[in-house]
Amino acid sequence: SSGINAEWPLRPGRSPALMPSVEVSFDEKSNLLQRLAMMTVEETELFLYPRLYNLNTSTLGNEGMPPIIRSSYDRIRESGAHLLDNGLVLILWVGANTPSKWLQEVMGVTVLDQVDPTVGNLQPFDNPTSIRIRGIIDEIRVKRKQHLRLNVVRQKDKTEHIFMQFLVEDKTELGMNYTDFLCSVHREIRNILS
C-alpha cells in the first residue's frame, strides 16, 4: 500500500546501525552494516520495519501466526506481551500488567519482576499457551537463515529502550513519526500543486 511505502524514508534512521548512539559500539554498528549489505530485499524490509506480534491469549488462536500490529508503543498493551521480529533477533516484550496466569504458563513465574531477561529461550511448559507461543517462535526461526536469539524485555525495565528503538512508527529525537511524516508530504504536495 502507498501508506506503507511512504514510510520507507523514516525507517533507516531508526536502525541501530545508523543511529548515533553511545550504547551501540562501533563494532556492533559495523557488524550490523555488513549484515545489512548482505540481506535480500525481504530481509532488509523486515530489518527496517520489524513485525510486532500480539501474544495476548485472546488474540493467539490455535494455529497460524498471531495478529501483527503497527510498530508503535501506542499499539502495545501493558496487560499483555508482544513479540518483535526484525530478522536478526526476537524480542519478547512483557507488559507491567501482564496477567499472572500468562506469566505462570509461559515464563514459569507469577510476578513480572521474576521474569529472567537473560533466558534466551522459553522453557517448555505443558499447557496450551506455552505450547502455542513456543510454536510461534519456532515458526519464525524456521524461516530465517540463522537462529534468532530471544531477548526478554520487561516494561519499565532499564533495557526497554532496546525494544523501543525498533518501534519505527514512534517519534524520536532525530525526526518525526509516521503520521507527522505523511502530513509533511501532503503539505509539500499541496504547495507544489498550488
Side-chain angles (χ1 to χ4, degrees):
S1 89
S2 62
I4 291 174
N5 292 336
E7 190 177 328
W8 270 98
L10 292 174
R11 294 176 187 174
R14 296 302 300 257
S15 167
L18 303 174
M19 286 179 64
S21 170
V22 293
E23 296 169 3
V24 180
S25 73
F26 178 77
D27 290 340
E28 290 171 315
K29 286 183 184 190
S30 177
N31 179 35
L32 282 172
L33 286 171
Q34 184 177 18
R35 290 172 92 173
L36 186 59
M38 296 185 313
M39 290 179 181
T40 65
V41 171
E42 293 81 14
E43 292 168 336
T44 303
E45 181 176 10
L46 181 59
F47 178 71
L48 296 176
Y49 192 86
R51 292 187 186 121
L52 185 59
Y53 297 96
N54 186 344
L55 297 183
N56 298 324
T57 308
S58 63
T59 61
L60 277 179
N62 294 324
E63 57 186 50
M65 295 303 285
I68 295 175
I69 61 174
R70 291 177 66 171
S71 188
S72 171
Y73 201 81
D74 292 338
R75 302 290 178 155
I76 62 177
R77 301 289 170 250
E78 288 187 355
S79 61
H82 302 277
L83 181 67
L84 187 134
D85 168 23
N86 75 351
L88 298 178
V89 68
L90 294 172
I91 300 175
L92 176 61
W93 180 90
V94 184
N97 297 325
T98 300
S100 59
K101 182 180 185 218
W102 191 96
L103 291 171
Q104 179 67 46
E105 291 177 345
V106 177
M107 310 296 291
V109 299
T110 55
V111 180
L112 183 62
D113 290 341
Q114 297 172 333
V115 171
D116 181 4
T118 63
V119 294
N121 255 326
L122 295 179
Q123 295 299 315
F125 295 105
D126 190 21
N127 66 70
T129 305
S130 174
I131 292 167
R132 178 76 173 107
I133 290 177
R134 287 176 48 79
I136 291 165
I137 291 169
D138 290 344
E139 188 172 335
I140 291 170
R141 285 177 170 163
V142 164
K143 296 176 184 175
R144 307 293 177 251
K145 295 177 185 174
Q146 64 189 26
H147 178 78
L148 302 181
R149 176 176 167 74
L150 178 69
N151 295 314
V152 178
V153 172
R154 299 177 294 202
Q155 184 181 18
K156 300 178 183 169
D157 198 21
K158 63 182 178 182
T159 59
E160 190 178 26
H161 72 279
I162 295 168
F163 171 75
M164 292 174 65
Q165 75 185 3
F166 293 108
L167 300 179
V168 295
E169 291 193 21
D170 289 340
K171 190 172 187 168
T172 70
E173 66 277 356
L174 302 174
M176 55 186 101
N177 67 19
Y178 179 56
T179 306
D180 294 342
F181 174 73
L182 286 180
C183 289
S184 71
V185 168
H186 180 68
R187 272 193 305 274
E188 193 64 32
I189 290 170
R190 282 187 25 212
N191 289 340
I192 291 171
L193 295 176
S194 55

